[in-house]
Amino acid sequence: MNRRFRSPEKIFDPAAMISDRLRCPYQWACLDGPAARIARWSMRLLQGQNVIVVGGSRGVGRSIAEAALSEGATVLAVARSEQTLADLARETTSVKAFAVDATVESAPDEVFAALEPDVLVICAGALAPSAPLHEQNWEAFSANWETDVKASFLFCKAALRRPLKPGARIVLISSGAALTGGPPNSGGYAGAKRMQMFLAGHSQKESDRLGLDLRFMALAPMRIMPGTGVGDAGIESISAYMGIRPMEFIAGILDMQTPADVGGAVVALATQKPQGYSFAVSGSGLAPAG
């Protein structure tokens, strides 16, 4: 019988057959024993790399942390809330946790002292405002500038000034609102998320000018995501503004990505070398941002 199509019995300690993995995925799936486990471990995309996820204790940030962990990375989740970090550490014991407010000037140095990253993901952010423009004050309107943009600015600045090790990748999590403008009751949210894209581009130009060999990118999840704190709050806010039920609003969303899709897109950006610095992820996959 052709061994490539043999029945799926277990094949123990198949050191001599590891090289067949790329030629025959079916056979690879049948392998068992120490050699197979070592080989599977070595094939993980982020094996031996350090990944920091700022805003990594819940929602999309947590999905990014879990995606990096599944690819063999050492993962440090950074968040302001010690309680959400404790919940994460209890449920995902392999993820390291670090509590700090990412908008404090000293935060990047504290985080980099805890773990020097090969991949840095900035996913921290505030909830968007949820009132008509004329009913907002400046504090509400600028919430995402003071959180999302400020955290991105501080960590990009620190990555350049420190600098991070050559080859390090920095991914800023933006939003589809950066490309569409977002709803009219979301204050400065869309502008703040667009600024994250500009920050990635500006930082990349500085890295190139200084010869630092750093890679800065922005990733925009194109659709609002139910089941996340930001997504659920946004759905409630926009639905109320439009005068419809949340389920009606959700039913009208097409090509929706999931938090897991965003995690997979971050892994792809961290392990491949796509052209450009602004990208989008939807239910159709990863693509350059329009």
Side-chain angles (χ1 to χ4, degrees):
M1 179 183 294
N2 187 327
R3 71 174 189 159
R4 294 190 178 212
F5 299 95
R6 64 186 298 175
S7 59
E9 69 266 21
K10 299 295 185 180
I11 307 171
F12 293 92
D13 297 324
M17 299 172 62
I18 295 303
S19 62
D20 287 342
R21 183 261 177 184
L22 295 177
R23 298 197 300 270
C24 184
Y26 173 80
Q27 185 182 59
W28 175 252
C30 298
L31 303 182
D32 198 1
R37 288 194 293 271
I38 291 170
R40 288 194 190 99
W41 182 269
S42 68
M43 292 300 296
R44 294 200 286 181
L45 295 173
L46 292 170
Q47 184 65 39
Q49 298 190 46
N50 295 335
V51 176
I52 294 174
V53 184
V54 179
S57 65
R58 58 186 175 185
V60 172
R62 176 166 175 165
S63 290
I64 294 169
E66 290 172 344
L69 187 68
S70 72
E71 292 295 345
T74 296
V75 179
L76 178 68
V78 178
R80 181 167 42 191
S81 170
E82 293 186 1
Q83 182 57 57
T84 58
L85 285 171
D87 293 341
L88 173 65
R90 183 176 60 254
E91 296 164 9
T92 311
T93 55
S94 297
V95 173
K96 303 177 186 296
F98 190 88
V100 70
D101 183 344
T103 64
V104 174
E105 293 279 344
S106 61
D109 286 340
E110 294 179 44
V111 171
F112 296 157
L115 187 70
E116 182 77 9
D118 297 285
V119 181
L120 170 66
V121 184
I122 308 300
C123 193
L127 295 178
S130 59
L133 179 63
H134 60 282
E135 295 179 7
Q136 297 177 35
N137 57 28
W138 177 249
E139 181 179 4
F141 182 89
S142 64
N144 298 102
W145 286 85
E146 295 292 344
T147 304
D148 310 43
V149 175
K150 187 175 181 180
S152 296
F153 166 75
L154 291 176
F155 276 87
C156 285
K157 175 183 174 181
L160 292 165
R161 292 190 66 176
R162 189 179 183 90
L164 293 182
K165 66 180 75 172
R169 287 82 75 202
I170 300 91
V171 182
L172 310 181
I173 302 301
S174 178
S175 167
L179 303 173
T180 65
N185 68 326
S186 60
Y189 178 78
K193 306 313 280 186
R194 185 70 176 179
M195 188 65 226
Q196 288 181 297
M197 290 185 169
F198 292 146
L199 272 172
H202 296 339
S203 298
Q204 186 61 60
K205 290 174 183 177
E206 285 300 307
S207 173
D208 294 343
R209 184 178 69 87
L210 297 169
L212 299 180
D213 191 25
L214 302 178
R215 180 92 163 96
F216 290 85
M217 295 165 281
L219 175 64
M222 289 303 296
R223 308 287 183 262
I224 197 166
M225 288 174 279
T228 65
V230 172
D232 289 342
I235 289 167
E236 288 288 339
S237 170
I238 299 168
S239 299
Y241 184 80
M242 296 174 64
I244 62 175
R245 294 179 300 168
M247 290 308 298
E248 292 178 283
F249 177 79
I250 293 171
I253 302 175
L254 303 177
D255 202 25
M256 184 191 303
Q257 77 287 334
T258 66
D261 292 331
V262 181
V266 169
V267 170
L269 292 177
T271 55
Q272 301 171 15
K273 294 184 178 180
Q275 295 295 313
Y277 59 83
S278 290
F279 301 89
V281 58
S282 67
S284 299
L286 179 65

